[in-house]
Amino acid sequence: MPGLVVDVLVVGLGATGAGVALDAASRGLSVAAIDAHDLAFGTSRWSSKMIHGGLRYLARGQVGVAYESAVERGLLLGRIAPHLVRAQPYLLPLVPEVSRRQAALVMTGYRLGDGLRAAARTPRSLLPGPCRISSGRARALAPPLGPAGLRGALLSWDGRLLDDARLVLAVARTAAAHGARVLTRCRALEVSGDGALVRDELTGETLTVRARAVINAAGVWAAGLHPGLRMRPSRGTHLVLRPGTLPGLVAGLHVPIPGESDRFALVLPQADGRVLVGLTDEPVDGPVPDVPQAPEEDVVLLLSVLNSVLEEPVRREEVAGAHAGLRPLLDGEGRTADLSRRHALLTTRDGMVTVVGGKLTTYRRMAEDAVDLAVSSGRITAGPSRTAALPLVGAIPPGGRGGGHDDGHVGERGGGDGRRGPGRPGRAGASAAGRHGGVADRLVERYGGEAGAVRALMEREPRLAEAGPTGVTGAELVWAVRHEGALDVDDLLDRRTRIGLIPADREAALPMARAALADPLPTGPAET
């Protein structure tokens, strides 16, 4: 495999790393971005799916972090990814365990959060304000709530992601459309301030990448590349309830965690009928695993908190799946739940920039700050960040019919010739599809302005219109192989779609995923 010379090398392709690749490429810099696994393989796909305004940080006096979160939430809702980020209503049930004083304090916090919304210039049409509602209205929005002692609820609004892994995918594909080479299954063996020795994990070949700036965005694995960096990861566990477990749930729920004044469990209905219940915050010691496991004690804790507000408790056997992610926190004093979520930038003696901490909501700002630091070192020259005004591939303006992005391949692995055109992209390849308007079906929620192209694929190849046991069609899986860089069934089921969150669903979908990987190239007109 030949060597590669670029302005910026990015290590890690979670939300932050993909964001760094986009920020640098959109400034006109040449970029290579690598990951030992796949896009969104690590923490980014295990998030709470919240794009939030930082209310919890405001309660702790971290005004700067809270304001930054509110600004980034507004950008995602209104401009960057309105097809993937929506406003979501949440109820805090006023059960007997929530005192009137606590309810008053929480409502004060909600109103302060609404003030942050206004300061961030997010219009109320995108994010309504908070209010108190009656018990009858609360049960209309959340029928599973128990009526005993329910004296109403506090209604608030915040941002939510339909799919965190698809956000990372959209960021990476937009970076590719701006010329970045996005290379999965490429592990950094040695990293320095001027490049890295990289191994192709599929062939075993090695590649030397020379770069004027290197940015370490490896998340919980960042310390392995940055000598002396001390991190203290914490585990966040979610339960996945099968559709029908909490029937009629429209609003999300904030459920107070016993003994905590400002922490709540989150209950979030999904578009496919599943319900997520989270989120724990437990310190993790020892080596960082590739895929963390959700321990049984986390499952028991979350069920206990959830059942404290339900009329009919959810039984253990109704939990269809559970997953855990690790927060990349810098080491500090106290509990991991109390450590700052403000991101940090560090530089090694030889000039490598490391970005750690933060949260999914602020991935874009983290990326901007990291590239700014690399530019300020004098090794590269570039103008200011453009990403605050740059829609992601598939973005449809709120209330609009949307547009697309120019066709473009993600980096061809193994020294591809870089030509654009129809056909299957390189092994890490993905393509940013052409201009397609909005389509009035569920595909719009996942593909935005590209939904028309996915629908056209079904029309050209009717066999792909058949839906599997979870409702995902063959066309969506084939699209992921042809345009989104999926290389195996794990990419298809665990990240391009989220079928794999429930093991039984994953098993049922395996034949369809294998068929998509074996699907022949189209013989008709180009799809992009």
Side-chain angles (χ1 to χ4, degrees):
M1 185 181 287
L4 183 63
V5 179
V6 293
D7 292 322
V8 179
L9 170 64
V10 186
V11 181
L13 280 168
T16 303
V20 171
L22 174 56
D23 189 281
S26 64
R27 299 190 198 201
L29 299 170
S30 60
V31 177
I34 63 173
D35 196 287
H37 299 288
D38 184 29
L39 301 169
F41 181 85
T43 302
S44 294
R45 64 170 160 148
W46 304 126
S47 78
S48 65
K49 311 298 184 291
M50 288 187 68
I51 297 295
H52 60 84
L55 182 60
R56 182 181 171 197
Y57 314 122
L58 189 64
R60 297 186 176 190
Q62 300 173 13
V63 178
V65 178
Y67 177 71
E68 183 177 273
S69 294
V71 169
E72 295 302 316
R73 177 186 62 185
L75 292 174
L76 285 162
L77 278 166
R79 183 180 303 162
I80 294 174
H83 60 311
L84 295 174
V85 182
R86 308 283 175 82
Q88 171 72 38
Y90 295 91
L91 299 182
L92 173 64
L94 297 178
V95 293
E97 290 77 12
V98 178
S99 69
R100 296 185 185 279
R101 179 178 181 276
Q102 185 180 10
L105 288 173
V106 172
M107 179 53 82
T108 298
Y110 286 164
R111 288 179 177 137
L112 289 173
D114 191 53
L116 276 180
R117 172 206 57 77
R121 299 185 179 181
T122 302
R124 195 177 292 286
S125 60
L126 289 181
L127 209 61
C131 64
R132 178 168 177 162
I133 61 175
S134 68
S135 59
R137 179 61 177 154
R139 284 195 290 270
L141 293 172
L145 287 177
L150 184 67
R151 60 182 192 275
L154 304 183
L155 171 64
S156 63
W157 292 78
D158 214 336
R160 61 84 51 87
L161 269 168
L162 298 176
D163 187 329
D164 43 11
R166 292 201 68 81
L167 175 68
V168 178
L169 175 64
V171 176
R173 292 181 64 213
T174 309
H178 282 80
R181 300 192 68 176
V182 179
L183 309 174
T184 61
R185 271 67 170 197
C186 286
R187 183 181 298 274
L189 302 176
E190 300 173 6
V191 181
S192 64
D194 60 0
L197 177 65
V198 177
R199 182 176 66 212
D200 183 324
E201 293 293 82
L202 298 183
T203 68
E205 296 180 52
T206 58
L207 165 71
T208 299
V209 180
R210 295 298 178 195
R212 294 174 180 83
V214 176
I215 298 178
N216 171 15
V220 290
W221 297 279
L225 304 176
H226 188 125
L229 177 62
R230 295 183 59 191
M231 300 189 67
R232 194 177 173 197
S234 74
R235 182 183 66 246
T237 295
H238 287 92
L239 312 183
V240 185
L241 309 182
R242 191 178 294 280
T245 304
L246 296 178
L249 187 64
V250 175
L253 300 178
H254 290 149
V255 185
I257 296 176
E260 301 281 354
S261 60
D262 62 350
R263 289 187 60 214
F264 301 87
L266 175 71
V267 183
L268 186 58
Q270 304 295 296
D272 59 7
R274 298 172 177 179
V275 178
L276 294 184
V277 182
L279 179 70
T280 61
D281 197 328
E282 299 295 332
V284 175
D285 299 319
V288 177
D290 282 347
V291 180
Q293 300 300 307
E296 184 62 22
E297 57 264 31
D298 285 7
V299 177
V300 172
L301 170 64
L302 290 171
L303 275 182
S304 174
V305 174
L306 169 64
N307 288 334
S308 69
V309 298
L310 300 182
E311 183 171 17
E312 294 291 335
V314 175
R315 300 184 302 273
R316 176 62 180 86
E317 56 268 26
E318 294 177 289
V319 177
H323 58 264
L326 301 180
R327 302 174 183 88
L329 304 177
L330 282 175
D331 196 10
E333 297 294 329
R335 304 181 308 165
T336 55
D338 298 326
L339 294 179
S340 174
R341 266 47 172 181
R342 175 71 172 136
H343 64 273
L345 295 167
L346 306 97
T347 306
T348 59
R349 291 183 177 179
D350 60 7
M352 180 182 72
V353 173
T354 294
V355 53
V356 291
K359 50 199 175 297
L360 186 61
T361 303
T362 58
Y363 81 89
R364 190 209 63 82
R365 178 58 186 272
M366 294 168 65
E368 176 183 334
D369 288 352
V371 178
D372 280 348
L373 181 56
V375 169
S376 70
S377 71
R379 296 190 178 195
I380 53 177
T381 302
S385 176
R386 298 176 51 210
T387 53
L390 188 63
L392 300 183
V393 60
I396 299 176
R401 295 188 60 84
H405 293 252
D406 292 335
D407 186 310
H409 276 263
V410 172
E412 302 283 347
R413 294 197 43 198
D417 60 12
R419 292 175 297 177
R420 296 181 177 184
R424 198 182 303 270
R427 287 194 330 194
S431 63
R435 293 178 171 83
H436 301 284
V439 178
D441 58 26
R442 76 168 190 88
L443 293 179
V444 175
E445 290 192 337
R446 296 186 64 79
Y447 298 94
E450 295 188 309
V454 180
R455 185 66 175 266
L457 177 58
M458 296 180 189
E459 294 171 354
R460 283 195 304 272
E461 303 179 54
R463 62 189 172 81
L464 299 180
E466 297 179 9
T470 64
V472 174
T473 63
E476 293 168 75
L477 296 178
V478 169
W479 178 269
V481 175
R482 294 181 185 176
H483 302 284
E484 296 179 346
L487 302 180
D488 57 26
V489 295
D490 294 343
D491 292 357
L492 287 173
L493 301 181
D494 299 335
R495 290 172 287 277
R496 303 307 181 272
T497 69
R498 306 312 294 276
I499 295 172
L501 290 177
I502 294 181
D505 290 347
R506 190 184 198 281
E507 186 68 23
L510 280 173
M512 180 180 282
R514 290 170 179 147
L517 289 163
D519 191 78
L521 290 171
T523 56
E527 296 175 10
T528 58

